[in-house]
Amino acid sequence: MARQEDLEGVLLGIGNPLLDISAVVDPSFLEKYDVKLNNAILAEEKHLPMYRELANKYKVDYIAGGATQNAIRVAQWMLQVPGATTFIGCIGKDEFGKEMKKSSTAGGVNVRYYEDESTPTGTCAVLVVGGERSLVANLSAANCYKVHHLEQPENWAFVEKAKFFYIAGFFLTVSAKSVMLIAKHAAEKGKYFMMNLAAPFICEFFTSQLMEAFPYIDFVFGNETEARAFSKSQNWETDDVETIALKISALPKASGTHKRVTVITQGADPTVVAEDGKVTRFPVKLLPKEKLVDTNGAGDAFVGGFLSHLVQGKSIPRCCEAGNYAANVIIQRSGCTYPPSPTSHPSSKDLRCALFSRANQIFLLPTKFCQSSKQENLAAQRSRTRIKSKRLNRERASFWVSRFQKVKYVFSTTAPTFLAHFR
């Protein structure tokens, strides 16, 4: 466990701070403005009237957003250590900008905004239909960020202090120079540099900027749609997510200090992680449909949760668990919002409570991680003290399997492979 003083300023993100204007809309609203469901695009001229109509026609929520800022805010929330994270970006010198600064600062994030006096704070229309969302971003001031702000000594000091850097691919459209400055710094100092593919259009239309940064990326995040768009941009002629993840991890690196790990989320399907030429799938905790409120920010929340454990030196399985936990919390709320503190920290227990079946015998093996409710944890611990690690006959095995039906994930302490998934 990392000490609190070691976590101060450990994670820095730079990106496009946007004020989300979120509303549940009719499918006809998407059709009117030629917006596809579950997609993210930059606003064009035809989209500009959307923002006023959205506010006039629907009940809207205003939430501090932007992909990188969301991930940083969630990581800060998970860590619960004031000042553990820093966010840099450009806002307007207006009321929206003040609200955004107030929101992020209240959550414990160090914000180092560049304030543009002539351009309003950027906004993002979050259009929710049936729990799924579409994003239309009007960058405005976010598009005005300049690398000289990053180079100022009072801001660069936060870069020097950080050990992990995270940037969503969207920022490549704004200041690729800033991205490369941080990427090279991370490589030179042996720090971790991480990016998100962000959206299909980044892979398709900003390929040169993305590939310039790629040799420096230690962790690549994305979803299955973005992964396939990246595959298409590279002419790999495959839509298989696991194959794509392996290919991404194998791309050349500028530094051999860290291997590249590729993390691809797939909604309710297992998260795919590729490293060292191997793929591991991590199941996602399924949420009943009636509890789903809004998927906006789910991917960002996963990254934030993942990073909150990565900066503490936790294993990839535990990072994925933290990411899935954070995403699960966010999709039950409107926008990328969360309660005051994590109510069920996924790494608070190091349980040993799973059964592994092999041929006609079942053995009790120690596990590296197993998430369940507090009551189930206690029951599992009580059961473990009684059965220890001895071989079980099939009759007793059936009994103990029934006792562990609610256990979700099982990982061996001697191998990272997934051993069992009880429903």
Side-chain angles (χ1 to χ4, degrees):
M1 177 68 70
R3 297 177 302 173
Q4 179 168 329
E5 54 267 33
D6 294 333
L7 293 175
E8 292 178 2
V10 69
L11 174 62
L12 183 144
I14 182 169
N16 301 328
L18 302 173
L19 187 70
D20 286 349
I21 305 175
S22 179
V24 176
V25 302
D26 305 314
S28 59
F29 191 84
L30 299 186
E31 295 173 7
K32 179 178 180 179
Y33 288 101
D34 192 25
V35 177
K36 296 179 181 179
L37 188 61
N38 202 25
N39 197 10
I41 61 173
L42 293 177
E44 301 175 24
E45 192 70 30
K46 64 182 179 181
H47 298 123
L48 296 183
M50 173 193 301
Y51 301 91
R52 183 179 296 276
E53 182 178 352
L54 192 63
N56 292 337
K57 189 175 180 180
Y58 299 97
K59 181 181 180 300
V60 301
D61 292 317
Y62 295 94
I63 306 165
T68 303
Q69 185 168 231
N70 281 342
I72 294 299
R73 288 173 57 237
V74 170
Q76 178 64 54
W77 170 68
M78 290 283 285
L79 286 166
Q80 293 287 298
V81 176
T85 64
T86 303
F87 178 75
I88 298 174
C90 184
I91 61 175
K93 208 164 187 177
D94 52 22
E95 289 303 314
F96 282 165
K98 290 179 182 177
E99 284 298 319
M100 190 130 56
K101 184 185 295 185
K102 180 181 177 181
S103 175
S104 292
T105 303
V109 179
N110 287 315
V111 291
R112 306 295 299 178
Y113 291 132
Y114 170 53
E115 297 184 9
D116 189 294
E117 297 186 4
S118 60
T119 312
T121 296
T123 54
C124 181
V126 181
L127 313 176
V128 182
V129 178
E132 298 293 327
R133 95 290 181 265
S134 296
L135 309 178
V136 184
N138 183 12
L139 297 182
S140 295
N143 202 36
C144 298
Y145 189 82
K146 301 292 186 293
V147 68
H148 70 76
H149 176 262
L150 180 63
E151 294 173 325
Q152 291 173 2
E154 61 270 26
N155 296 322
W156 190 254
F158 286 92
V159 177
E160 292 283 0
K161 188 173 185 179
K163 297 176 183 177
F164 296 80
F165 302 95
Y166 174 70
I167 305 175
F170 294 118
F171 198 61
L172 290 168
T173 71
V174 174
S175 182
K177 288 184 178 179
S178 298
V179 174
M180 294 308 301
L181 189 64
I182 290 178
K184 291 178 179 178
H185 167 81
E188 291 170 1
K189 302 294 183 179
K191 301 178 179 182
Y192 288 90
F193 180 70
M194 302 164 289
M195 286 195 71
N196 198 311
L197 298 177
F201 82 87
I202 297 295
C203 303
E204 295 167 1
F205 304 114
F206 293 87
T207 309
S208 60
Q209 295 93 324
L210 182 60
M211 296 315 296
E212 183 182 7
F214 232 92
Y216 299 91
I217 306 177
D218 299 308
F219 280 79
V220 178
F221 295 93
N223 63 33
E224 74 276 31
T225 305
E226 295 152 4
R228 289 175 179 133
F230 185 83
S231 175
K232 184 178 178 181
S233 74
Q234 300 300 305
N235 298 314
W236 285 343
E237 298 183 350
T238 179
D239 281 338
D240 181 72
V241 173
E242 294 187 15
T243 300
I244 296 169
L246 284 170
K247 285 180 170 289
I248 289 175
S249 293
L251 288 172
K253 288 192 91 260
S255 169
T257 304
H258 307 298
K259 63 184 177 183
R260 179 179 294 123
V261 179
T262 304
V263 183
I264 306 296
T265 58
Q266 304 185 97
D269 292 328
T271 300
V272 172
V273 177
E275 58 176 326
D276 296 326
K278 299 178 182 178
V279 168
T280 308
R281 295 164 64 88
F282 296 93
V284 174
K285 180 181 179 181
L286 299 180
L287 183 73
K289 190 173 182 180
E290 60 271 18
K291 290 188 176 182
L292 176 64
V293 175
D294 181 3
T295 59
N296 179 40
D300 302 331
F302 174 87
V303 174
F306 188 103
L307 296 182
S308 73
H309 274 38
L310 185 67
V311 301
Q312 298 180 74
K314 302 293 179 64
S315 66
I316 296 299
R318 295 184 78 168
C319 290
C320 284
E321 282 294 335
N324 286 326
Y325 166 79
N328 190 269
V329 170
I330 265 64
I331 63 176
Q332 296 183 64
R333 303 168 66 90
S334 179
C336 191
T337 61
Y338 34 76
S341 62
T343 55
S344 176
H345 205 289
S347 64
S348 61
K349 302 286 183 182
D350 185 17
L351 303 179
R352 301 169 183 274
C353 60
L355 295 171
F356 175 52
S357 175
R358 183 177 182 180
N360 292 326
Q361 296 173 332
I362 296 183
F363 302 86
L364 182 70
L365 295 182
T367 61
K368 189 169 188 179
F369 177 77
C370 176
Q371 181 186 5
S372 55
S373 71
K374 184 177 180 180
Q375 292 78 10
E376 290 161 1
N377 289 347
L378 293 174
Q381 287 177 317
R382 285 196 295 268
S383 300
R384 179 169 58 83
T385 61
R386 282 182 280 175
I387 59 178
K388 304 296 182 182
S389 296
K390 60 185 178 182
R391 183 176 299 181
L392 306 175
N393 61 37
R394 291 186 64 79
E395 290 181 359
R396 294 182 67 200
S398 297
F399 169 74
W400 290 113
V401 167
S402 68
R403 293 291 299 273
F404 289 99
Q405 286 298 304
K406 293 184 179 180
V407 173
K408 291 295 293 182
Y409 308 116
V410 181
F411 296 92
S412 166
T413 55
T414 57
T417 53
F418 177 73
L419 296 181
H421 182 196
F422 299 110
R423 290 188 180 276

